[in-house]
Amino acid sequence: QVQLVESGGGLVQAEGSLRLSCAVSGMSFSMSVMGWYRQTPGKQRELVATITSGDRTDYADFVKGRFTISRDNAKNTAYLQMNFLKPEDTAVYYCNARLIRMMRPPTTYWGQGTQVTVSS
């Protein structure tokens, strides 16, 4: 069974840092595009960052220069390093995996989310 388990969320002061982790099991991590998304009450879930199996990254404009997405294929884990956090970064952060397979449609999996709260 595929599992994505986020960790590392918590309460932090503005300008502080957190590192989120997403441990993946039950699927081929190395064949997946990994992503981090976030959601606050009353808002749609929004893309934060993605990283491909070839380590190509993409970021939402509002986190460029502050957040870094990475992956460790040996550990089947994706990370989101968040620096210079702002109160508006407060959200539930979700890990996403999109499995890319030859001759098959992509399959998407989600973690349960981890709460990040930034105080002013």
Side-chain angles (χ1 to χ4, degrees):
Q1 186 173 354
V2 175
Q3 289 186 299
L4 280 67
V5 181
E6 300 99 333
S7 61
L11 176 64
V12 65
Q13 291 183 319
E15 306 300 321
S17 299
L18 286 173
R19 189 178 76 159
L20 307 183
S21 298
C22 175
V24 177
S25 62
M27 59 173 287
S28 177
F29 179 83
S30 63
M31 296 175 64
S32 298
V33 177
M34 301 299 301
W36 288 96
Y37 295 72
R38 69 186 189 186
Q39 187 169 23
T40 57
K43 296 179 62 178
Q44 293 184 327
R45 190 171 298 184
E46 61 184 354
L47 172 69
V48 176
T50 60
I51 183 168
T52 70
S53 60
D55 291 334
R56 178 164 48 85
T57 59
D58 193 27
Y59 297 92
D61 287 341
F62 54 82
V63 303
K64 287 181 178 177
R66 300 190 298 125
F67 293 6
T68 302
I69 188 171
S70 62
R71 66 192 296 158
D72 187 337
N73 288 344
K75 297 180 179 179
N76 285 1
T77 302
Y79 305 94
L80 184 68
Q81 179 67 47
M82 303 185 294
N83 299 323
F84 301 101
L85 283 161
K86 306 174 182 179
E88 51 262 46
D89 293 320
T90 296
V92 177
Y93 284 72
Y94 295 91
C95 181
N96 170 273
R98 186 167 74 253
L99 179 62
I100 307 299
R101 296 171 294 184
M102 182 179 293
M103 303 300 293
R104 301 175 70 177
T107 306
T108 300
Y109 302 95
W110 292 94
Q112 291 297 307
T114 184
Q115 177 70 47
V116 171
T117 303
V118 184
S119 62
S120 60

